[in-house]
Amino acid sequence: MRALVYDCSAGISGDMNLAALIDLGADRENLERELSKLHVHGEWKLECRRAQQHGIRGTRIDVLTEEEGHSGSSHAHHHRTMADIRKLIETSALSNTVKRTALSIFTLLAEAEARVHGTTPEEVHFHEVGAVDSIIDIAGAAICLEMLRVDAVFTGPVELGSGTVTCQHGTMPVPAPATALLAKHFRATLNGTTHEATTPTGAAYIAALAQPVPSPLAGRITATGYGIGHRQGLPVPNILRVILVETEEEETSPELLTELCANIDDMTPEQTAYLAEKLMEAGALDTWQESVCMKKGRLAVKVCALCQPEQTDRVREAFFRHSSTPGIRQHGMLRHILRRESAPVHTPHGTVHVKTSFMHGRPHYRKAEFEDCRILAEKTGLPLGQCQLMGLFPTSSHDNDATDSV
């Protein structure tokens, strides 16, 4: 397993995180090509340079935008709703994995901002986070995770900082209101620095993706990245460190998960499908429906969702918000998964990502990513089965009869 381990002892922000991932080895040119698929209004570019603090060298980035007319570090930002950002990401040509990762971060952030301002997540108006630079920070991090083939993200305690911060709503105490709400998802420390160490964007990234570092975490450190912040002259270096660890291979990797389920007999199939979408957006790893027969012989559907323990509150809230059920059953379970890798395969008609699972240290099962194959089929007019075969056997020639063997 390839795991990222975050050292957030000096906090985390969106730009420091993206800088650390680039410093770790994510290809900057490929990152910019992928980010161009977002079609963000206005010109933008990444200014990436080597920097140093307290004798430690790393990478510092700025997002220079035409929309703002200057570096994204200013507070003169364009406002966007969560609905705007969702549309921007969903209609892009980014991979489905990147879309899911970016939207999970933004959704968590929108929920926190909505609670602060007394509105709904879809209607909340982002200010600083609505700016191009913050969209690039979050989507860029999701792209880097895919490029680095990261299987898991871990973090130690996250320093939030102290003092005050100036934002769209004036001068606020640290942590900012949204950051304080997001911090319930991870272990945090306070007053370790004299400034805002963790921004809402950084907190949302950790809350959405990171788990506590397991003890012990055995493996081989293959790379280390340093994201250099913009604050100078601090007693604690304004640096984010990210370590890439290849863990010792095991037959399966046990993982503690939470399952939530409810029996529903008064929702239409369309409403139930919408519920499943909202459960996934709230952080569910998987959701499914089972046909059941309830008391008095009523046919119904059992809706289930599987999630990480730290996402339980969000998934449960989505269950109540988007369904008619007055009660939800919840229990913990242990999942065993084989080690998996995903790699792009280049075919004559386009790129298909292929997932490979391993058993006894050898490839066990290979499967072409369905969404990639679907897009390929729609673009070329070829049968879906033929596109799946091209992903698995890119050097072979497949005619239209190839689907007979699928």
Side-chain angles (χ1 to χ4, degrees), residues 198-226:
T198 295
T199 64
T201 301
Y205 176 88
I206 293 295
L209 302 181
Q211 306 173 53
V213 181
S215 180
L217 178 62
R220 182 170 58 92
I221 295 178
T222 59
T224 303
Y226 293 94

Side-chain angles (χ1 to χ4, degrees), residues 178-197:
T179 302
L181 288 174
L182 291 163
K184 72 176 183 179
H185 296 285
F186 50 81
R187 187 181 173 200
T189 59
L190 287 162
N191 303 320
T193 63
T194 57
H195 65 282
E196 182 189 36

